[in-house]
Amino acid sequence: MGELWRRFLYFINRRQIERELEQEMAAHRAAMADPASFGSTLKLREESNDAWGFGWFDRLHQDLNYASRILRRSPGFTLTAVGVLAFGIGLNVTAFGFLNTAMFRPLPGIDNPHTLMRLTRCGPESSSSNLSYPSYDFYRRHNTAFRSMLAVAGGELTFQETERWRAQFVSSNFFTELGAGPSYGRLEFREPGDIVISAAFLARHFAGDPAILGKSILLNRQAARIIGVAPAEFIGLDPQAPDVWALLEDHPHFFPQSQFLTSTAMQPLHLYGRLAPNTSPQAAEQAVRPIVAERRKQAPTEIWQDEYLPVEPGAYVMQGSFSKIVGPLLLAATLLLLVLLTACANLGNLLLARSVTRERELAIRTAVGATRGRIVRQLMTESIALALLGSAAGLILSAFATKLLVQALDWPAFVDASPDWRVACFAFGAGLLASIAFGLAPALQATRTNPQRAARLRLTLIGAQAAACCILLIISALLLRGLNKAVSDQPGFAFEQSAVIDPDLMGVGRQGKSAQLYFLQLKTRLSQLGGIEATALATIPPLGQRQATTLLPIGIVLINSVDNNYFETMQIPILRGRNFRPGDTDVVILGERAAARLWPGQDPVGKQYTGYRGTEHRTVVGIAANAPIYSPGDPDAMEVYKPIQESDMQHAVLLIRARQLSAIQKAAQQAANEIDSRVIPSLTPMRNGMDRRLRNSRSGALAVSALGVVSLSLAVIGFAGLISFSVTQRTREIGIRLALGASKWQVIRLGLDRLMLPTAIGLTAGIAIAAGLAHLLRSQLYGLSRIDPVSFLAAPAIFLFCALVASTGPLSRAAKVAPSTALRHE
Amino acid sequence: MPFDTVGVPPGTLIMLVLRVLQQGSFHGYAIAQRIHMLSGDVLATEEGSLYPALQKILLKGWATAEWGLSESNRKVRFYKITPAGRKHLAAEIKDYDRVTTAIQSILHPLGS
């Protein structure tokens, strides 16, 4: 310890100690009989100081000084290099910044975010993020692993018949457990109908006037009172911040006869827990297992066999089910790293070319006694200096890009995507790695005197760039063509003038016969409206957020319970067999693909269909054309239709197809409300769902295309630069060849010849890797053909074309070489 | 440099310096002088190794240095041994004795 301390003191007072040592030596020298024999005080002093072990520091200082001088002296090179790096690093930093915001940066206004956990449900065949109130209540009462449990359910409350407020129903401990104190009033639900509003909503809706506190209003035609305003930064646990919070147990107050608190069929709750002190998430997960098993005995229909609740961080934008996003994340990371790789390869080539011009300088340094290690270290210091500059520029670039993106993506206002220390560390870490990637090989090369190997390294780097660029181009071509297909293709069902009316009958407690009656009345009312061509009942609305699936031996199929008007309404042709008939129960209609997979090459009509875990048996009565209503364009989607039963009616929605949807929208909504005044129906055009899906694929395709273009320009610039470099280097040779009668074409071929093989190898490798990645992508985006020949051929062709166009400049320079001047060329 | 002097054997310089300092505080030149004198004019300390050795002694905390005036009224640095230095010296001497005894017994076996 003492030694470290002395070392530290030495480091602090280095300059003074060195001066003292010099004085001491001078005195020694003066005292000697023969002062000349003392030797060089300077050398001695350096050797003495080495005892303290800070020699490296001085050398680093020296190298940095030297590097900065070198970089300043060639501003063109430095700017190019920093620019290239800033792009490569900036892209990765931007992507990491978003990941950081979603996964590592807690939601604002939450106390001890790291101990707040989200619990989701996981079984051998299914997973879900939601559970029912009775199950939550059971877990809460039997909980041993958590200090407390919280539950949240999303919903809407209607103010003055027309205005819809985004609501969240929360457990009574919600605000206290998250550590939010009121900015006005209290955050404690006492009377039925008490609600808390968000600060943003107060500002937006009540002009920021806290006089609204304590006022009685009507929500869903029920008495409600605003008792408090949440703190400004607090948005709860959902990034889509709600306008109001109400008590879970008040759900029946706002939705009379709602079965929210009693039904296990309704599963609207998100479950959270505060870890008890010194409990790990893993331990908590184990402790919850037996409680879930116990609960299954009471609610065997809701709780799956062998179900458990994964415990994952809950106070972040991204909550639970992390395993699901690993695939897309890896893919995105791969594509982004490819851009950085092109940048590094490009820069590596630039450095190699430079080292040729610095041969003389390096030779002098070697001659005066620098070892190879010393020179490599100095060159690496230059690379690291470049990388750090690039990182800083990349960080600035990404801060701007993030700001623009957040605006373009219309993220909720609270999301703070500005860079923090994690992003900065990432940027400089990426820079350091990049400096090794682009700097080490050229540095080692520069200290060797083997031009053959330098040439080989250059060609390898060109190959790597071609490969990386080819992958990005192919992936973006696949995405763009997939998107194009999704836009132009008919999805297989009529959605343009169709809409979904969701009366949420369960919310008002209508089920079975009562729900059926409601729909009957609604259909009658709508038929009187005119302008509606067809109506049908279904449990899963097309292009909505809901989906129901089951696992069959052939894979996951989408289940929908529909009435006999469904196929006519959605204009899905029945290809074989028959439609459902009233009174059908144990029958099933299969989508074409599901049928073909279950019984390849056979007629499926009349066969026995075995559903959920082999416990459900139905007769196949018909085959419908493929209609992937959840993921349009998905070439793997399979549908299974069951006849809708009375017991399904509480979940059902009414689908309508109109001649002109916009003309009847309002009237239809009104009709749905007039039949039962408690019902506040939503009417969603299917077009909206389609647009939302396309928007997602569009931004994905655009992002990857941008990467492709960046990497293409980098690679092409590198390509042209290399040709230009080799033309300059070989001017004399070209001159001799021209003088000896070579044609211009032969000279041009001379410039290209050696690049052909590495480029071809690079492109081939790129195609192979892209084929592998495309396989991964297929499950992420719709309408993508895995081996789309157009994409796979177009991408390398584009690369070659651009590379050739970019090379025309230096090549024509080669062809224009005049033999006489060339021979005089140095 | 006269012919009859030899350099300090490698690895022993720190021990010799500490041994000298055990007798009192000395400055660099005086330490070299004393080593030369005490060794019967045999050992000559090169400045090239003395100062690195002194720096190492300071680093290890075996001695401290203080500015003072020399006999000739020059500003010089006096080195003063610390308890840690004494302890280290004792250990070094013990080790050294064992090694020299061992070497002696090889060079001059008892039987011969």
Side-chain angles (χ1 to χ4, degrees):
Chain A
M1 202 58 223
E3 187 176 326
L4 261 180
W5 177 241
R6 277 189 293 278
R7 235 187 250 272
F8 175 72
L9 282 184
Y10 168 84
F11 188 68
I12 300 286
N13 304 314
R14 240 151 46 92
R15 294 277 158 257
Q16 195 200 337
I17 290 174
E18 270 173 30
R19 255 198 320 277
E20 287 182 359
L21 191 61
E22 197 177 346
Q23 286 173 11
E24 189 180 359
M25 284 178 179
H28 187 139
R29 201 181 150 103
M32 282 170 77
D34 176 17
S37 72
F38 188 87
S40 154
T41 30
L42 184 67
K43 186 159 174 274
L44 240 168
R45 206 175 73 211
E46 283 212 344
E47 279 169 16
S48 305
N49 284 331
D50 272 351
W52 296 91
F54 283 107
W56 61 269
F57 184 83
D58 291 320
R59 283 188 287 273
L60 178 69
H61 187 73
Q62 198 182 2
D63 281 345
L64 275 178
N65 262 339
Y66 189 73
S68 76
R69 205 179 322 144
I70 286 270
L71 295 182
R72 261 196 316 250
R73 214 174 47 195
S74 36
F77 163 78
T78 309
L79 275 181
T80 317
V82 170
V84 165
L85 274 174
F87 252 114
I89 295 175
L91 275 173
N92 280 277
V93 170
T94 310
F96 178 80
F98 278 98
L99 189 70
N100 182 36
T101 309
M103 286 181 72
F104 302 120
R105 206 180 258 199
L107 292 167
I110 295 177
D111 268 3
N112 297 320
H114 56 279
T115 62
L116 187 74
M117 295 288 138
R118 169 80 186 270
L119 288 85
T120 52
R121 301 173 54 204
C122 203
E125 286 166 14
S126 329
S127 64
S128 166
S129 50
N130 295 20
L131 80 171
S132 70
Y133 183 86
S135 291
Y136 149 70
D137 197 42
F138 184 88
Y139 296 148
R140 182 178 61 82
R141 280 184 287 111
H142 294 81
N143 156 51
T144 51
F146 294 94
R147 202 181 69 196
S148 62
M149 293 193 113
L150 296 82
V152 179
E156 269 180 351
L157 289 171
T158 309
F159 176 66
Q160 292 175 348
E161 310 297 316
T162 50
E163 240 176 67
R164 282 162 181 275
W165 292 2
R166 290 175 50 83
Q168 258 179 18
F169 293 90
V170 298
S171 47
S172 55
N173 59 353
F174 182 75
F175 292 105
T176 44
E177 272 306 323
L178 296 184
S183 53
Y184 298 109
R186 59 184 160 93
L187 303 184
E188 202 183 314
F189 302 104
R190 288 186 200 143
E191 311 282 324
D194 280 359
I195 57 164
V196 168
I197 62 174
S198 75
F201 191 60
L202 177 74
R204 194 168 69 237
H205 203 271
F206 302 107
D209 182 8
I212 188 71
L213 274 183
K215 270 222 180 118
S216 291
I217 52 171
L218 283 181
L219 282 181
N220 280 17
R221 302 200 189 102
Q222 311 296 327
R225 203 154 61 99
I226 299 173
I227 54 156
V229 180
E233 76 280 3
F234 183 83
I235 55 144
L237 292 169
D238 187 345
Q240 300 291 328
D243 304 325
V244 303
W245 286 278
L247 191 63
L248 271 180
E249 286 77 10
D250 274 355
H251 198 275
H253 172 84
F254 290 110
F255 298 90
Q257 293 166 44
S258 141
Q259 293 174 315
F260 189 91
L261 300 180
T262 49
S263 165
T264 53
M266 273 181 98
Q267 298 174 0
L269 264 56
H270 289 181
L271 185 62
Y272 296 86
R274 265 285 183 207
L275 285 178
N278 304 321
T279 313
S280 70
Q282 292 77 19
E285 193 174 309
Q286 287 309 317
V288 171
R289 264 177 195 263
I291 307 173
V292 178
E294 196 55 39
R295 173 67 188 156
R296 179 169 155 79
K297 289 180 193 156
Q298 298 183 0
T301 49
E302 185 193 358
I303 312 295
W304 307 308
Q305 201 171 352
D306 300 324
E307 179 176 323
Y308 67 100
L309 309 182
V311 173
E312 287 161 305
Y316 303 85
V317 173
M318 199 94 84
Q319 296 170 1
S321 320
F322 290 113
S323 52
K324 277 187 196 158
I325 56 158
V326 169
L329 268 184
L330 276 182
L331 185 77
T334 315
L335 297 182
L336 286 163
L337 280 177
L338 280 175
V339 179
L340 188 55
L341 186 76
T342 356
C344 286
N346 203 323
L347 212 53
N349 257 335
L350 212 57
L351 285 175
L352 270 179
R354 245 171 84 79
S355 69
V356 173
T357 57
R358 288 178 66 180
E359 252 169 15
R360 186 196 286 268
E361 172 205 337
L362 296 180
I364 291 173
R365 287 174 69 86
T366 313
V368 296
T371 60
R372 182 162 174 227
R374 189 76 187 78
I375 288 183
V376 168
R377 193 161 60 192
Q378 181 223 317
L379 290 176
M380 276 313 284
T381 311
E382 283 175 38
S383 296
I384 290 171
L386 271 181
L388 294 186
L389 285 176
S391 297
L395 208 53
I396 296 169
L397 206 67
S398 107
F400 279 114
T402 309
K403 206 164 183 176
L404 284 180
L405 274 173
V406 166
Q407 270 168 17
L409 295 174
D410 203 14
W411 276 33
F414 80 91
V415 175
D416 179 11
S418 58
D420 59 2
W421 61 270
R422 282 188 215 90
V423 176
C425 285
F426 178 86
F428 287 102
L432 281 182
L433 282 183
S435 71
I436 293 171
F438 71 75
L440 193 58
L444 290 175
Q445 197 51 61
T447 53
R448 263 192 219 116
T449 43
N450 187 345
Q452 210 57 45
R453 294 187 65 158
R456 213 175 316 144
L457 181 58
R458 265 198 286 276
L459 295 178
T460 314
L461 289 176
I462 275 288
Q465 285 188 61
C469 181
C470 183
I471 296 169
L472 284 165
L473 286 178
I474 290 177
I475 299 290
S476 52
L478 281 174
L479 288 176
L480 283 175
R481 280 178 53 81
L483 180 69
N484 204 15
K485 199 162 165 291
V487 174
S488 62
D489 273 15
Q490 287 305 316
F493 53 94
F495 68 94
E496 279 97 345
Q497 295 300 333
S498 306
V500 180
I501 299 179
D502 184 358
D504 188 18
L505 292 183
M506 189 147 182
V508 297
R510 291 188 74 146
Q511 48 182 317
K513 278 238 167 349
S514 159
Q516 198 164 25
L517 179 69
Y518 175 87
F519 281 121
L520 209 66
Q521 289 171 322
L522 181 56
K523 280 188 167 192
T524 321
R525 286 291 298 272
L526 291 178
S527 68
Q528 292 159 359
L529 275 180
I532 291 181
E533 293 185 320
T535 59
L537 289 173
T539 49
I540 304 297
L543 299 169
Q545 311 274 35
R546 255 193 251 171
Q547 70 168 326
T549 59
T550 200
L551 185 71
L552 295 185
I554 53 166
I556 291 174
V557 295
L558 289 132
I559 306 287
N560 201 355
S561 298
V562 302
D563 66 2
N564 51 0
N565 296 321
Y566 179 80
F567 297 100
E568 203 274 316
T569 307
M570 297 316 298
Q571 297 189 321
I572 302 168
I574 302 277
L575 302 174
R576 307 178 63 88
R578 63 167 177 88
N579 194 348
F580 291 133
R581 289 183 196 128
D584 269 346
T585 49
D586 293 336
V587 298
V588 70
I589 292 178
L590 298 179
E592 205 181 348
R593 191 173 299 110
R597 297 244 176 111
L598 279 169
W599 296 283
Q602 299 175 44
D603 183 1
V605 176
K607 291 258 194 293
Q608 276 297 309
Y609 163 90
T610 307
Y612 179 68
R613 285 177 167 235
T615 55
E616 185 193 10
H617 302 281
R618 288 167 185 269
T619 310
V620 179
V621 294
I623 305 301
N626 289 322
I629 56 163
Y630 186 75
S631 49
D634 183 353
D636 282 331
M638 293 183 279
E639 301 85 35
V640 169
Y641 304 96
K642 299 174 186 174
I644 195 164
Q645 303 299 315
E646 202 182 282
S647 57
D648 297 322
M649 289 299 169
Q650 54 185 345
H651 305 295
V653 292
L654 189 75
L655 314 179
I656 58 172
R657 178 161 54 80
R659 258 189 299 280
Q660 193 61 46
L661 186 61
S662 50
I664 54 102
Q665 218 161 318
K666 205 150 189 94
Q669 205 161 358
Q670 210 168 1
N673 174 252
E674 277 164 15
I675 297 167
D676 182 334
S677 62
R678 293 168 307 171
V679 168
I680 298 151
S682 70
L683 187 148
T684 320
M686 290 184 196
R687 180 88 248 172
N688 294 4
M690 193 63 160
D691 288 345
R692 194 176 50 244
R693 280 163 174 77
L694 286 181
R695 204 158 45 234
N696 288 345
S697 344
R698 192 172 291 138
S699 35
L702 277 180
V704 178
S705 310
L707 295 187
V709 169
V710 168
S711 123
L712 178 67
S713 8
L714 286 177
V716 162
I717 292 168
F719 202 83
L722 194 60
I723 291 180
S724 169
F725 171 71
S726 86
V727 167
T728 313
Q729 240 194 348
R730 295 165 81 181
T731 305
R732 190 198 285 263
E733 180 193 339
I734 292 170
I736 294 175
R737 282 176 190 265
L738 284 173
L740 291 178
S743 74
K744 292 205 163 171
W745 278 113
Q746 278 169 322
V747 169
I748 287 175
R749 272 198 50 197
L750 197 66
L752 285 176
D753 251 0
R754 297 181 55 201
L755 293 177
M756 284 303 169
L757 186 65
T759 308
I761 293 175
L763 290 180
T764 316
I767 290 174
I769 298 170
L773 285 177
H775 184 73
L776 234 171
L777 253 186
R778 183 177 158 83
S779 54
Q780 306 303 332
L781 286 148
Y782 318 122
L784 192 66
S785 44
R786 198 175 333 180
I787 302 296
D788 175 36
V790 177
S791 305
F792 276 82
L793 290 178
I798 289 174
F799 177 85
L800 284 178
F801 177 75
C802 292
L804 277 178
V805 168
S807 324
T808 45
L811 283 177
S812 67
R813 193 153 55 82
K816 278 196 213 112
V817 164
S820 52
T821 41
L823 291 175
R824 274 201 308 271
H825 185 86
E826 185 253 343
Chain B
M1 202 180 288
F3 283 109
D4 52 351
T5 62
V6 293
V8 174
T12 60
L13 181 60
I14 287 183
M15 180 172 69
L16 295 180
V17 171
L18 287 176
R19 180 72 187 83
V20 167
L21 292 180
Q22 215 176 15
Q23 301 173 341
S25 302
F26 296 99
H27 52 83
Y29 179 67
I31 293 171
Q33 290 285 354
R34 278 193 87 78
I35 289 177
H36 188 64
M37 203 181 80
L38 290 172
S39 66
D41 294 349
V42 175
L43 293 179
T45 320
E46 278 176 53
E47 295 75 25
S49 37
L50 176 65
Y51 282 94
L54 282 171
Q55 293 294 316
K56 187 165 181 206
I57 287 171
L58 286 179
L59 168 68
K60 293 285 181 192
W62 293 326
T64 53
E66 253 170 49
W67 288 96
L69 285 179
S70 74
E71 314 83 67
S72 54
N73 262 349
R74 267 182 172 280
K75 223 183 129 199
V76 290
R77 200 138 66 146
F78 286 94
Y79 292 86
K80 194 176 159 202
I81 195 161
T82 63
R86 285 177 203 282
K87 219 169 115 191
H88 179 73
L89 177 64
E92 282 258 291
I93 292 177
K94 209 172 136 198
D95 273 359
Y96 185 77
D97 281 348
R98 275 185 57 209
V99 172
T100 38
T101 321
I103 293 174
Q104 284 294 334
S105 62
I106 294 170
L107 298 179
H108 309 290
L110 283 175
S112 68

